[in-house]
Structure formats: C-alpha cells, structure tokens
Amino acid sequence: MAKRALITGITGQDGSYLAELLLAQGYEVWGMVRRSSTETSQRIDHIKDRISFLQADLLDQASLTKAMEAAAPDEIYNLAAQSFVPTSWAQPTLTGQFTGLGVSRLLEALRQVAPKARFYQASSSEMFGKVREVPQNELTPFHPRSPYAVAKTYGHHITVNYRESYGLFAVSGILFNHESPRRGLEFVTRKISHGVAAIRAGRATELLLGNLDAQRDWGYAGDYVRAMWQMMQQEEPDDFVVATGENHSVREFVEIAFAHAGLDWEQYVRQDERFLRPAEVDHLRGDAAKARRVLGWEPTVSFPELVRMMVDADLALLGA
C-alpha cells in the first residue's frame, strides 16, 4: 500500500519540490492549504491533479486535528511558516503564532490522532544568528537575531521536546538558505535574478538592494527536500544540518547573475538603506558532515549553477 504524506506549506518553494519527490516515490500526497482570497498554487499547478488538498490553519487547533484525521498520514512535513525575515520585524506576534506555536499545535494534533506517524520540522540556519562558531553544526548554540529566528528556535526545541517526552518519531532539518526559480520574489536571490531579467527586458533601469556584503551558505532547494525525505527514512529520529559548507556574498550573487545576462552590475545596482536589517546575521556557514555520513546526502548543484539556473528561468519568464 502506498505511503501517505501530509505536507503543510505545499504551495511554497520547498513544498512544491517535496511533493514532486514524494509523488515520484509512489506516495499518496496530501497538501494542507489555508483559505485565502487569492490563489497561490502556481508552483504546484503541474501536479495539482495528483494531490489531495485539505483546508486547515496553523492558528486553529481544531482544523489541524481534522486534517490529521482525514489524511491519516504516515509522514508529516511541516513546511508552513511566516518565513520572510523582514516581515517578522513588522509582524513579530503573528510570526510567533505561525512559525513557533503553530508547530506545537501540529505536534499536539499528531500526538492525539496519529502518534505512529513520522514528523519533519523545517528548522532554519537563522536560529544560529549571532554565530558562536564557524561553520555551524548540530551542536552549535543558537542565538537568533530576528523574530522569525526566535520563532523557528521555539519550533525546533518543541519538536525535540515532543520526541523526548512522548517517544514520537520527530526530526528537525536545520536547513541553510536554499533557493530555486520557485523562490518568492521578496527574497534577495530571486529579487536579483528577476531584477536582471527585468533590466534585460527593458522593464527596469535599476535594482535596489540592501547589504551587499551579507554572506550566506546558498544551496538548491531540490537538493534540500531530498535531505528532508532521507531524514524520515532513518531507523531513529535525529536532527541534521543541511548545507553546502560554502559562503558567498550577495555581491557575488549579483556579479554572476548580471554577467550571465551580459550586463555590468555596477551600472544598475543601488544600495538602499530601507533593505538593511535591524540586526544582521553574519557568517552563516553550515557543516553538513553528519548528513553526508548518516544520510548519504550530497548537494548536486553548485553556487554558480544555481545563480545561472535562476537567471535563465526569469529571462524565460519575462521573455528577455
């Protein structure tokens, strides 16, 4: 009989890649979606007819319990969150409700309805924040530097707590930044690739960015959802850092992106203080040695390949 998986946040970047992966593995896939006045399912339009959808909300305990009963899942992947860091400064309480307490509600629904199911929590490298060591691994202390990161840290610890308290198969993937052509336009990587395409298409004359010296460990989302699935197939539940182990600056991303489109970035990029964070996160670089050793996971897409993939997709999107 086919395994059943329930994915929260299925319409997001990671949710769409994970749904594709699970369908290819023969899973029956259920997607949890929030009632919204605007449809945002374009990332999964090509596989929509192969997914069963449930309406539920991370703010509403009863709806989560009903969704769990309807899907009767073997595996639950919690990818839903308010995941944009700048928004977390503008809406810190709502971010805490979705990204933090939402995990508690989901775990409680799982404990009551499907205690044998396996649970994946999407943790984040942002939890390391003001880093204590470089690179960061599973034992590096957290020092979150935004309301989003604080909420993710709560979600991480409550997952560990439910695993240890109730014997649930609950794991957390501490994923470093991962991008793709399906990344939201508000994120800096997609903002750059889309901005390059818009300039090339004659639809824009400049690109406004924040801190060009900010460095991140950027990987490809398609690689990272494979690590999520691999964590759920282990005999014992455990937490894993997923990262490339390489650091690159926003400036490097800009240089490769503009060069790929045959443009000189210095003619178009302007720094705008509105896009600077109140507290910057420095030197996020992951040590994924444990994931490589235990899961056999390896990234397949290099940083320059990722940038060019995103630019090509946006050039095609805008007909540039």
Side-chain angles (χ1 to χ4, degrees):
M1 209 167 90
K3 275 190 185 175
R4 295 157 73 98
L6 174 62
I7 304 173
T8 75
I10 195 167
T11 59
Q13 168 188 257
D14 291 8
S16 67
Y17 282 110
L18 180 62
E20 285 175 348
L21 174 76
L22 295 178
L23 287 169
Q25 299 276 6
Y27 279 67
E28 195 177 305
V29 175
W30 294 69
M32 196 183 98
V33 291
R34 256 190 325 144
R35 171 75 183 90
S36 169
S37 56
T38 53
E39 283 287 323
T40 54
S41 63
Q42 65 269 26
R43 293 185 184 94
I44 53 168
D45 279 344
H46 61 297
I47 50 173
K48 230 170 147 178
D49 58 344
R50 300 169 62 197
I51 298 168
S52 302
F53 291 96
L54 294 161
Q55 274 195 8
D57 195 311
L58 287 178
L59 302 186
D60 180 8
Q61 184 73 56
S63 72
L64 297 176
T65 302
K66 280 183 188 164
M68 207 73 75
E69 288 168 345
D74 299 297
E75 296 175 4
I76 296 142
Y77 294 85
N78 182 35
L79 310 185
Q82 191 301 99
S83 61
F84 188 47
V85 172
T87 297
S88 78
W89 292 104
Q91 297 183 297
T93 308
L94 185 67
T95 299
Q97 284 285 354
F98 271 120
T99 308
L101 288 174
V103 186
S104 288
R105 296 187 189 100
L106 204 50
L107 282 164
E108 193 56 25
L110 175 139
R111 185 176 76 84
Q112 292 175 12
V113 175
K116 293 279 186 279
R118 297 185 166 204
F119 180 83
Y120 173 86
Q121 167 60 14
S123 288
S124 167
S125 61
E126 289 279 337
M127 301 187 305
F128 295 120
K130 191 174 181 181
V131 299
R132 312 289 181 89
E133 60 185 5
V134 181
Q136 297 87 45
N137 62 32
E138 292 80 6
L139 300 177
T140 303
F142 300 138
H143 188 142
R145 296 266 281 174
S146 68
Y148 166 75
V150 171
K152 275 291 184 188
T153 305
Y154 173 90
H156 179 85
H157 283 308
I158 200 68
T159 301
V160 173
N161 190 256
Y162 266 65
R163 175 171 76 218
E164 294 177 350
S165 302
Y166 299 115
L168 300 178
F169 191 105
V171 303
S172 284
I174 306 172
L175 271 54
F176 279 65
N177 292 60
H178 46 289
E179 317 297 318
S180 76
R182 300 180 193 174
R183 193 56 142 150
L185 285 167
E186 69 274 22
F187 291 88
V188 68
T189 51
R190 183 72 196 289
K191 187 177 175 182
I192 294 166
S193 64
H194 193 269
V196 166
I199 291 168
R200 176 80 179 271
R203 300 188 191 187
T205 56
E206 63 178 8
L207 176 60
L208 302 177
L209 295 172
N211 182 8
L212 295 179
D213 296 317
Q215 296 204 341
R216 294 289 183 274
D217 181 332
W218 276 303
Y220 171 53
D223 285 337
Y224 285 42
V225 299
R226 183 164 34 83
M228 296 176 189
W229 177 76
Q230 288 174 312
M231 285 176 219
M232 296 282 263
Q233 312 315 309
Q234 301 305 301
E235 284 187 22
E236 297 294 327
D238 204 353
D239 305 325
F240 293 88
V241 162
V242 181
T244 68
E246 294 179 10
N247 258 151
H248 297 280
S249 66
V250 174
R251 181 178 276 101
E252 281 179 78
F253 199 107
V254 165
E255 287 170 353
I256 295 171
F258 275 84
H260 188 56
L263 299 168
D264 176 2
W265 73 272
E266 291 182 277
Q267 289 184 22
Y268 302 101
V269 174
R270 309 277 177 271
Q271 196 163 34
D272 189 324
E273 289 186 1
R274 288 177 302 166
F275 300 118
L276 298 176
R277 290 186 182 189
E280 185 52 82
V281 175
D282 299 314
H283 301 119
L284 280 181
R285 179 158 61 86
D287 175 5
K290 182 177 164 185
R292 291 171 191 260
R293 185 180 72 252
V294 178
L295 306 178
W297 178 83
E298 290 284 345
T300 65
V301 177
S302 71
F303 176 70
E305 285 171 339
L306 173 64
V307 178
R308 292 193 287 265
M309 174 201 299
M310 292 179 67
V311 171
D312 284 339
D314 278 326
L315 289 171
L317 183 70
L318 298 185

